[in-house]
Amino acid sequence: VKKNTIKDIGEFGLIARIRRRYARSSDLALCGIGDDAASLRSPPRGHPTLVTTDILVEDVHFTRSHTTPYLLGIKSLAVNLSDIAAMGGIPRFFLLSLGVPQELSLAFIDRFYDGVAKLAETYDVLLVGGDLTAAPSFTINGVLIGDCPPNQVVYRKGAQPGDTVFVTGPVGDSALGLEILRQRGLKPRDFNAYGEATGRDKELLRLIRHHLAPEPPVLKGRKIAELRCATAMIDISDGLMADLGHIMEESHVGASVRVDQIPRSEAFQKWASLYHPQPLDLALGGGEDYQLLFTAPGKALQQAIADGRESDFPFFPIGKITPHSGKLSLITEDDRPYSPSCHGYDHFRPPAGGFHA
Ligand code: ADP
Ligand code: MG
């Protein structure tokens, strides 16, 4: 008989399949998938271990009809990679637990793990375990373990008045991608089995892909950690304003941001006003861009430039840290205050009538 669904092979059959196809051997893992616990080599003495976990739930964080299994697999690891990156860390080991509806096809699971494995390979991360359970909707919980050289971890606390606020790249693409996805929907041939945009509307599909399968800022995070001048850092998952708010709260400072300085992609500038009445608010409030937001003293930046390292510092200054604890000022090009229509995403206080994908 042909085996098409999870039911046909069962829990242990599925674990064996995942192990066979996606487990890699490595000097770092003495034992990965297949025993009661993974046995992992510890980082060298003095290197802190970093651990993060994230949960994605069908119809809360994504809908199956508006993504592909491969892109969902990429996102499942990417969101965790982004958290390790935001500490300046090096990702190493991934554990992936799934709640799976019984009718889900094996093909869906295979393509999903192909996406996970592809991103794991790109960033040299090992899949070393997980768990499986039946569930009414597809539920994904990842745990990512990494480490960091001594004194390079960057926390949310530590921003000082006078520091410059930087962002590592354009923001707003993910929120715009989600808006396009909501309005346009997804067609069967928009992406192939390996996540490449194959449909027409290439520019729109790239924005949608940015939302469905973000690129985690792992290399940028390491670069910032190695420069050793960042005083605070966070990844932009809830939105620029909300995440800068987290730095302000942990550092007991305020910030003032020049909204015209916030980098936006060419595609964003071309398409945003067609899909949203206030494009700037997509960049300020929209989440899931997975760029890094960090603070550094101007002096440290000048030093990096004086040392001829400026090519290693390709980041965008967007504002300053102020002593006014908890106060975020948004300022326009002509020095007027700007008030946005939204403030970032909070799962327990979703916007009226809205949903989060
Ligand atoms: P236990 O019941 O002792 O938790 P399991 O049968 O759940 O053991 O798991 C056996 C092995 O398979 C463990 O190494 C576990 O980490 C691994 N494993 C289980 N589910 C997954 C999964 N979804 N992805 C990767 N490894 C998994
Ligand atoms: Mg188990």
Side-chain angles (χ1 to χ4, degrees):
V1 240
K2 197 139 188 286
K3 296 181 171 121
N4 292 321
T5 67
I6 315 284
K7 245 187 327 203
D8 298 330
I9 63 170
E11 178 187 346
F12 300 113
L14 184 52
I15 293 175
R17 190 183 182 95
I18 292 165
R19 180 179 184 178
R20 197 168 60 238
R21 292 199 177 184
Y22 304 102
R24 299 273 173 279
S25 64
S26 156
D27 292 345
L28 291 180
L30 309 172
C31 170
I33 299 173
D35 216 309
D36 294 310
S39 168
L40 309 174
R41 210 175 281 288
S42 307
R45 227 182 144 69
H47 293 227
T49 295
L50 302 170
V51 189
T52 183
T53 184
D54 229 291
I55 190 159
L56 296 173
V57 177
E58 183 175 358
D59 295 331
V60 178
H61 300 90
F62 64 91
T63 46
R64 252 190 276 161
S65 59
H66 281 69
T67 186
T68 77
Y70 186 88
L71 294 175
L72 189 58
I74 293 209
K75 186 161 195 167
S76 304
L77 177 51
V79 294
N80 286 286
L81 285 170
S82 180
D83 281 322
I84 295 290
M87 304 296 284
I90 305 162
R92 306 274 190 203
F93 307 112
F94 193 44
L95 294 101
L96 184 57
S97 298
L98 302 179
V100 186
Q102 293 211 344
E103 88 287 352
L104 204 72
S105 72
L106 269 179
F108 185 99
I109 291 284
D110 285 343
R111 291 295 83 74
F112 174 83
Y113 271 96
D114 283 344
V116 175
K118 168 72 189 172
L119 203 59
E121 195 187 298
T122 303
Y123 292 103
D124 218 357
V125 166
L126 292 174
L127 180 64
V128 296
D131 201 11
L132 283 174
T133 177
S137 59
F138 196 49
T139 305
I140 305 158
N141 171 236
V143 175
L144 185 61
I145 303 170
D147 54 71
C148 191
N151 306 317
Q152 288 189 13
V153 180
V154 189
Y155 298 94
R156 293 180 181 184
K157 63 183 183 204
Q160 298 286 332
D163 284 356
T164 304
V165 179
F166 294 92
V167 64
T168 53
V171 292
D173 282 5
S174 179
L176 176 56
L178 174 58
E179 210 45 58
I180 295 168
L181 192 57
R182 276 179 176 148
Q183 294 181 34
R184 174 190 177 280
L186 205 61
K187 297 166 194 156
R189 268 177 285 282
D190 280 343
F191 296 100
N192 68 14
Y194 297 98
E196 290 149 355
T198 41
R200 297 201 273 143
D201 306 337
K202 283 273 175 348
E203 287 181 331
L204 298 184
L205 289 176
R206 258 194 298 265
L207 289 162
I208 290 175
R209 196 187 191 286
H210 189 82
H211 174 76
L212 294 178
E215 263 175 46
V218 177
L219 304 181
K220 291 169 179 173
R222 283 301 302 143
K223 185 166 277 183
I224 293 160
E226 279 170 354
L227 283 172
R228 294 211 190 200
C229 59
T231 48
M233 182 151 69
I234 193 169
D235 62 323
I236 302 183
S237 56
D238 297 330
L240 193 153
M241 275 187 300
D243 289 314
L244 182 53
H246 296 318
I247 285 185
M248 286 162 34
E249 200 173 316
E250 295 304 315
S251 301
H252 308 290
V253 294
S256 111
V257 166
R258 279 280 303 271
V259 293
D260 58 297
Q261 308 264 28
I262 298 170
R264 277 150 280 179
S265 73
E266 264 176 49
F268 183 95
Q269 295 179 46
K270 182 165 170 194
W271 294 102
S273 60
L274 242 73
Y275 287 91
H276 197 274
Q278 291 287 352
L280 180 58
D281 293 358
L282 285 177
L284 284 166
E288 303 196 278
D289 276 304
Y290 300 103
Q291 294 291 346
L292 298 172
L293 187 68
F294 67 99
T295 59
K299 240 194 276 165
L301 175 59
Q302 278 159 17
Q303 194 59 52
I305 290 169
D307 293 354
R309 288 185 290 154
E310 81 273 34
S311 62
D312 287 343
F313 206 89
F315 307 125
F316 304 82
I318 60 167
K320 288 271 179 217
I321 294 296
T322 69
H324 313 300
S325 187
K327 185 171 158 47
L328 174 62
S329 318
L330 302 173
I331 301 159
T332 62
E333 206 170 357
D334 43 9
D335 277 330
R336 281 206 296 259
Y338 180 80
S339 30
S341 56
C342 54
H343 291 271
Y345 194 80
D346 181 330
H347 271 277
F348 295 101
R349 296 188 310 175
F355 88 111
H356 192 237

